[in-house]
Amino acid sequence: MNFKDSDINDMISDIDEKVNIIFRHQMLMSAYQSIPRDYDLGFFMSELEVHSLGFIENQPGITAKQICQLTYRTKGTISSMLSKLEKEGFIEQRKNPENLRERQLFLTEKGEYISRQHRAYDRKMTCDYLIEVAKHCTPEEINGFFKMTHYRSEYFEKVLEQEKEIYKKHSEEK
């Protein structure tokens, strides 16, 4: 896309306010995601747990390493979570016949049910959100938000990898 200097100046005007809006959004989403929810079985699960069930449902046989990559969580965090999900009867871990040190993940019937419940919950919450936002924004603005969010995620995936490399090099120098 081609931008004129005036377009760039307009985009970065009130940059401190924009930084604060983004930070507040991230903090609210972090708080929202940290609240465990009941998905109709009488117990509560975290967003990380239930979305991991969704990853397993969408890709039966996925590995813990792949879930680490999808969620940007450490091996220890994911390992602990998977042990809990297995103990609670949501998943099964099976040895990969092609690599016996690796375990593949599969949902149980209970895990499939929770994953479906969560998907319905997410769809409803997103629809409710879109209806609320439509009171203040045009469809073009709403679609623009999702487009911006997509490219923002791509940008920060690159930044995250760069920052990890910098930290790794710094740690090795000590």
Side-chain angles (χ1 to χ4, degrees):
M1 296 200 128
N2 294 324
F3 288 102
K4 298 180 278 187
D5 287 343
S6 61
D7 293 331
I8 301 293
N9 287 335
D10 186 49
M11 283 189 294
I12 63 172
S13 70
D14 301 324
I15 194 71
D16 290 334
E17 180 181 347
K18 290 172 179 166
V19 167
N20 288 334
I21 288 169
I22 289 170
F23 179 75
R24 183 169 184 265
H25 177 262
Q26 289 173 246
M27 293 301 101
L28 284 168
M29 290 309 300
S30 178
Y32 174 81
Q33 290 170 344
S34 71
I35 299 169
R37 290 181 179 75
D38 181 348
Y39 295 100
D40 198 31
L41 279 182
F43 54 86
F44 291 80
M45 294 183 79
S46 72
E47 286 265 320
L48 178 61
E49 292 167 337
V50 77
H51 276 275
S52 293
L53 293 179
F55 295 139
I56 297 167
E57 180 179 38
N58 292 335
Q59 190 179 340
I62 192 171
T63 64
K65 181 178 179 180
Q66 290 169 308
I67 291 178
C68 290
Q69 292 166 342
L70 289 167
T71 61
Y72 303 99
R73 298 300 193 277
T74 65
K75 184 179 176 184
T77 298
I78 296 304
S79 178
S80 175
M81 178 204 58
L82 292 174
S83 292
K84 177 183 174 191
L85 291 175
E86 185 175 37
K87 181 180 174 190
E88 298 291 332
F90 297 111
I91 66 168
E92 294 177 352
Q93 297 189 47
R94 301 179 199 152
K95 288 183 180 176
N96 180 350
E98 297 173 14
N99 179 354
L100 297 178
R101 293 185 305 166
E102 186 177 76
R103 295 192 177 264
Q104 295 177 305
L105 306 169
F106 299 90
L107 293 183
T108 63
E109 191 174 306
K110 185 177 176 181
E112 288 175 3
Y113 176 77
I114 290 296
S115 186
R116 284 191 306 270
Q117 291 294 103
H118 174 254
R119 191 170 39 258
Y121 173 85
D122 264 358
R123 287 177 177 162
K124 181 188 180 318
M125 289 299 292
T126 301
C127 287
D128 291 350
Y129 164 72
L130 292 172
I131 289 166
E132 185 64 28
V133 171
K135 295 175 184 175
H136 310 281
C137 301
T138 66
E140 293 81 16
E141 290 170 327
I142 293 168
N143 288 332
F145 165 78
F146 286 100
K147 183 176 181 179
M148 287 286 301
T149 301
H150 169 79
Y151 287 110
R152 185 172 192 266
S153 294
E154 282 187 358
Y155 172 78
F156 279 104
E157 284 176 342
K158 292 175 191 170
V159 169
L160 181 62
E161 289 307 313
Q162 292 168 350
E163 294 289 331
K164 285 173 21 181
E165 280 301 312
I166 291 169
Y167 181 73
K168 182 180 174 183
K169 285 179 186 175
H170 176 76
S171 297
E172 290 171 353
E173 291 173 359
K174 286 191 169 189

